[in-house]
Amino acid sequence: GEEVEVKPIDKEAFNLGFIGAGKLAASVAIGLVNQGILPPSRIFTAHRNPESRLDFTSVGIQVYQNNHQVAEECDVIIFSVKPQILKEVILDLRPLLSQNKLLVSLAVGHKLKALQEWAGHCRFVRVIPNTASVIGEAATVMHLGEAATVNDGELIADLFGAVGKVWKMDEKLSDAAGAVGGAGTAFASIAIEAMADGGVAAGLPREISLSLASQAFYGAAAMVMKTGKHPAQLKDQVASPGGITIAGIHELEKGAFRASMMNAVVAAAKRSHEMG
Ligand code: NAD
């Protein structure tokens, strides 16, 4: 068909709406306000359950009675309801969702193809953050729909940059990206817990062991990110000849630590593909 001109989103004046005022939406909204990226006067949501308003109202965000008011008021609309009800929520708002509104889904699983069909247009962006958005350290992946412009992508990357790091990529990489960036935080948590258990087995008090293990992971991750060195290089630096580190590494290799971690990621990606 004929190409429809879309109105660019005015970065200085657009209103941002969250449909679904839950945990994830609150973490993003509060991150945006706290980091001065958007004033609370330009963020809107709606909530049926009065108690859950608090997260939003505490930073001055307007909470409406229903989704329709949010959809009317806002230029950028982030759907942050559970995946099971997303379709009915979008279909209900469809008459209000013109091409001049940029739409975003945070729901796990639903592909752009379905989202675009439900909304009736393709100016849609899929964003997959993780739970670390609560502390501003999410690993977020985003996929642009067919009619989302380069500016749309930058705007959404800037918004989610407030609660972590953002990678833009083709949707065909989504399953693998979710397996590393999403499920990966659970795999890392197990590794931290196991290391702390080892400390306890070697005689450390539980609390000290867990703190040391967590900081060791935090430090290792920060070294990789900040020095740009390959993890193998950082490992080699610590492992002196005949020393304690190489003795431990030998055990990790005997236990197939690397293969286990690789298999975990591949299994998560496979499961994600089956669910989509
Ligand atoms: P949540 O249950 O905290 O939030 C959903 C909110 O939607 C609830 O507050 C609920 O009251 C509200 N709601 C229910 N029906 C509604 C309706 N018809 N209209 C408006 N609001 C309605 O869930 P969450 O953890 O914030 O997750 C939200 C979405 O984000 C999900 O689709 C999930 O797949 C996705 N997601 C979450 C995470 C995470 O770390 N929590 C990570 C990636 C993606």
Side-chain angles (χ1 to χ4, degrees), residues 139-203:
T140 298
V141 172
M142 57 183 272
H143 314 297
L144 296 193
E146 285 159 41
T149 65
V150 172
N151 283 338
D152 290 346
E154 278 170 9
L155 186 128
I156 298 304
D158 287 347
L159 293 184
F160 284 86
V163 292
K165 294 198 167 62
V166 182
W167 288 265
K168 213 179 294 173
M169 62 186 72
D170 194 279
E171 195 180 30
K172 68 174 185 287
L173 300 177
S174 193
D175 296 320
V180 177
T185 59
F187 306 155
S189 296
I190 289 175
I192 292 172
E193 187 191 16
M195 190 181 284
D197 279 345
V200 172

Side-chain angles (χ1 to χ4, degrees), residues 80-96:
S80 42
V81 294
K82 289 286 183 203
Q84 296 83 347
I85 62 163
L86 182 62
K87 183 179 180 182
E88 66 176 90
V89 168
I90 294 178
L91 289 179
D92 174 52
L93 294 175
R94 182 174 167 136
L96 300 171

Side-chain angles (χ1 to χ4, degrees), residues 20-24 47-48 67 80-83 85 106-108 129 131:
K23 294 185 291 287
L24 187 60
H47 214 292
R48 47 238 343 255
N67 294 341
S80 42
V81 294
K82 289 286 183 203
I85 62 163
L106 303 186
V108 170
T131 46

Side-chain angles (χ1 to χ4, degrees), residues 176-236:
V180 177
T185 59
F187 306 155
S189 296
I190 289 175
I192 292 172
E193 187 191 16
M195 190 181 284
D197 279 345
V200 172
L204 278 179
R206 167 69 59 188
E207 213 174 302
I208 296 176
S209 192
L210 186 55
S211 302
L212 280 175
S214 307
Q215 181 64 27
F217 269 82
Y218 199 75
M223 291 268 276
V224 173
M225 290 190 292
K226 289 183 181 162
T227 66
K229 285 188 179 164
H230 191 281
Q233 236 180 318
L234 296 167
K235 180 258 295 173
D236 284 356

